[in-house]
Amino acid sequence: MSSNTLHHLATGLGFAFLISSYLLGRHLGFIDWVTLQMPEGYEGSGLMLAIGIMMTPAFFIWSRFNRFVEKKLGIKGRYYEDSFYNNDVQKKDRD
């Protein structure tokens, strides 16, 4: 199998992990609990807060998984955050 196909399969697996993380948090009642803690009229902001808190660890794991897969498969590319942080290092070197 080509590395592109394996990369696509691994990305799909990671995305399925994200979906299952959301569904698990929803099933456990975390979203409902946070929404109930909000004052009347602010349930929507509570929903967004709950989703953000609940999905932060899942997105971190997903990003590390993607980096691991790309390293193992030899996928080369540029990441936005790499160029962002490299610019900061280059500015410090110039000063």
Side-chain angles (χ1 to χ4, degrees):
M1 227 184 259
S2 73
S3 64
N4 281 343
T5 304
L6 290 173
H7 182 256
H8 285 25
L9 290 173
T11 302
L13 181 67
F15 191 66
F17 167 73
L18 286 176
I19 292 170
S20 63
S21 297
Y22 172 78
L23 293 175
L24 177 66
R26 189 171 160 204
H27 176 72
L28 292 175
F30 182 74
I31 293 175
D32 296 331
W33 179 77
V34 172
T35 305
L36 290 173
Q37 304 306 312
M38 302 303 287
E40 187 176 329
Y42 291 92
E43 293 86 4
S45 61
L47 175 65
M48 294 305 296
L49 181 65
I51 292 171
I53 291 170
M54 182 178 70
M55 293 303 292
T56 298
F59 275 109
F60 178 76
I61 292 168
W62 182 62
S63 70
R64 297 297 99 199
F65 174 73
N66 277 342
R67 292 282 178 112
F68 170 76
V69 167
E70 289 169 355
K71 184 178 179 182
K72 286 294 181 185
L73 294 177
I75 305 288
K76 304 277 187 214
R78 291 186 53 184
Y79 298 98
Y80 172 77
E81 62 267 18
D82 290 344
S83 63
F84 179 79
Y85 292 118
N86 286 341
N87 287 339
D88 287 346
V89 171
Q90 291 170 357
K91 287 178 187 175
K92 287 180 184 177
D93 290 341
R94 281 187 256 151
D95 294 338

